[in-house]
Amino acid sequence: MRAWHQFYPALPASQRSEQLRAGFGALIGISLCAALVSLGATWAGPELFLVAPLGATAVLVFCVPNSPLAQPWSAIVGNVTSALIALLAIRFVPAPWTAGMAVGTAIAAMMVMRALHPPGGAVALLMALDPALALEAGPVFALMPVGVTTAALVLAAIIYNRMTGRAYPFRHPDADGVQDPALRLGLSTEQLGALLERFNQSTNVGIADLGRLLAAAEAEAAQHRFAGTTCADIMTKNLITVQPGTTLTEAAQLFRAHAIKSLPVVEEGMRLRGLVLQSDLLAPMAAGSGFGAQQQIAAPCTVADVMRAADCAAPHDLAVGVLLNRLAVQGTEVIPVERDGRLVGILTRSDMIRLLLSGAEERSAA
């Protein structure tokens, strides 16, 4: 019985909503292509018609739109390239080797073009089995009907997938390599690509989606790891704050007196304006401003001039595990914690270390 398990379905059960979404999308896409063929008959003649492999393309672009095999470049270029290769095989390769040569060479050509698309193999085989139309049309056959109908189906998939909440075309990493750091897990685009190559999955999953999957898995694991602990549970609540008009001299004195590493900048009602770290005061010091009791600080002279943006604040009820990567890998030193738009605490690496040590003691006792 164990041997038979490897023949069981490999795909997990899909949600009913996804079944309906994908099936209805394919219905719409193929129907629109059929309508295009019908309307185009008046100006394109019999050269424009549906080809059977278009059904396989519909499966990819509507069921697995995040797959690299389903992307517009793969679909259009893959089908067109396969048609051109098959036409060459029909003309120059004798039977019974025509079909095998057409399909095998089409696959190799698609891989060279970085346009691997499984229906392209079906396009090549269809032409090898029934070459009359392809020979009559010549190279134009690759553009019409193959290229035109594939492009129409891809266009329908782009509109439909986006309307139903699916990302299509594929989400490529930014050209400059900059991505949301929360989704990077400390791994570069090159490292994520290397992981896909190591497990031979580069044709199944894209780099951007792998990063999102890993980030989601890390966040889920972190929430389990800390048993639902939130920022409010471990944050530092007794805060020492400054106002935008506080001078740099006063801020330096607070740093020395209280052995703290950050000063939240707040306005009336504890509304967070920014954050000042010890390092933010080093530039004025290096410029010769000085912080002696008898010295006056030249511009910049207030914390408002040197504070950093407060866009990294976290809600009080956020699970601390979500912030673990930000504190541990991305170099963040302190995270302000807000509730209803008001500053209520500060989360630091020290707070996280205390939580980790507390968990270690509990595990040792168990």
Side-chain angles (χ1 to χ4, degrees):
M1 291 298 296
R2 290 183 179 178
W4 284 106
H5 276 283
Q6 57 188 316
F7 296 102
Y8 289 0
L11 290 175
S14 57
Q15 298 179 355
R16 181 63 57 85
S17 59
E18 180 60 18
Q19 296 169 5
L20 294 175
R21 190 204 67 81
F24 191 64
L27 184 154
I28 293 177
I30 294 297
S31 297
L32 288 176
C33 288
L36 174 65
V37 168
S38 179
L39 292 174
T42 58
W43 54 269
E47 290 79 11
L48 187 62
F49 56 89
L50 294 178
V51 291
L54 209 60
T57 296
V59 173
L60 288 172
V61 300
F62 290 104
C63 296
V64 285
N66 284 348
S67 169
L69 302 175
Q71 300 317 299
W73 174 269
S74 297
I76 299 173
V77 176
N79 281 349
V80 170
T81 298
S82 296
L84 291 173
I85 292 296
L87 186 61
L88 292 174
I90 293 170
R91 289 185 179 276
F92 300 108
V93 179
W97 315 108
T98 308
M101 182 63 71
V103 175
T105 309
I107 291 175
M110 285 190 289
M111 296 181 73
V112 169
M113 297 292 295
R114 298 173 61 186
L116 189 61
H117 188 60
V123 169
L125 181 60
L126 176 67
M127 293 175 60
L129 294 178
D130 188 11
L133 288 176
L135 290 173
E136 180 181 352
V140 176
F141 185 87
L143 297 178
M144 189 166 60
V146 176
V148 171
T149 54
T150 302
L153 184 63
V154 166
L155 179 60
I158 291 174
I159 297 173
Y160 181 82
N161 280 314
R162 292 191 175 185
M163 290 179 61
T164 55
R166 299 298 298 273
Y168 185 77
F170 182 74
R171 297 168 291 197
H172 289 281
D174 293 340
D176 57 2
V178 176
Q179 293 176 308
D180 184 355
L183 302 177
R184 292 288 292 274
L185 307 145
L187 299 177
S188 66
T189 297
E190 291 74 17
Q191 290 171 320
L192 290 173
L195 281 175
L196 291 175
E197 291 292 338
R198 184 193 307 173
F199 293 97
N200 198 26
Q201 294 296 313
S202 57
T203 59
N204 296 323
V205 182
I207 292 175
D209 282 305
L210 175 63
R212 287 173 171 83
L213 288 172
L214 290 177
E218 183 188 54
E220 189 71 20
Q223 292 188 36
H224 288 292
R225 166 68 180 81
F226 296 113
T229 302
T230 64
C231 294
D233 297 327
I234 65 169
M235 68 184 182
T236 300
K237 300 178 182 178
N238 298 323
L239 302 178
I240 299 173
T241 63
V242 294
Q243 296 181 337
T246 301
T247 66
L248 298 186
T249 298
E250 294 170 331
Q253 292 172 349
L254 288 174
F255 277 121
R256 286 199 301 266
H258 299 280
I260 55 179
K261 296 182 179 180
S262 64
L263 282 171
V265 183
V266 299
E267 294 181 323
E268 183 179 356
M270 292 298 286
R271 302 291 175 178
L272 185 63
R273 277 283 309 277
L275 198 66
V276 176
L277 304 182
Q278 287 184 352
S279 58
D280 296 326
L281 303 184
L282 294 179
M285 179 185 298
S289 302
F291 295 106
Q294 304 300 323
Q295 291 176 302
Q296 299 295 324
I297 296 179
C301 60
T302 67
V303 295
D305 299 321
V306 299
M307 68 182 183
R308 57 189 64 195
D311 53 1
C312 61
H316 74 287
D317 55 354
L318 181 68
V320 294
V322 176
L323 302 175
L324 183 61
N325 185 65
R326 192 193 300 183
L327 288 167
V329 178
Q330 299 172 24
T332 302
E333 297 183 23
V334 58
I335 299 175
V337 181
E338 293 181 322
R339 181 172 185 173
D340 298 327
R342 298 175 61 253
L343 180 68
V344 294
I346 288 290
L347 186 64
T348 66
R349 294 180 184 176
S350 299
D351 297 321
M352 187 65 72
I353 291 173
R354 281 195 295 270
L355 177 62
L356 290 169
L357 292 177
S358 174
E361 294 173 358
E362 294 174 359
R363 290 192 298 275
S364 298

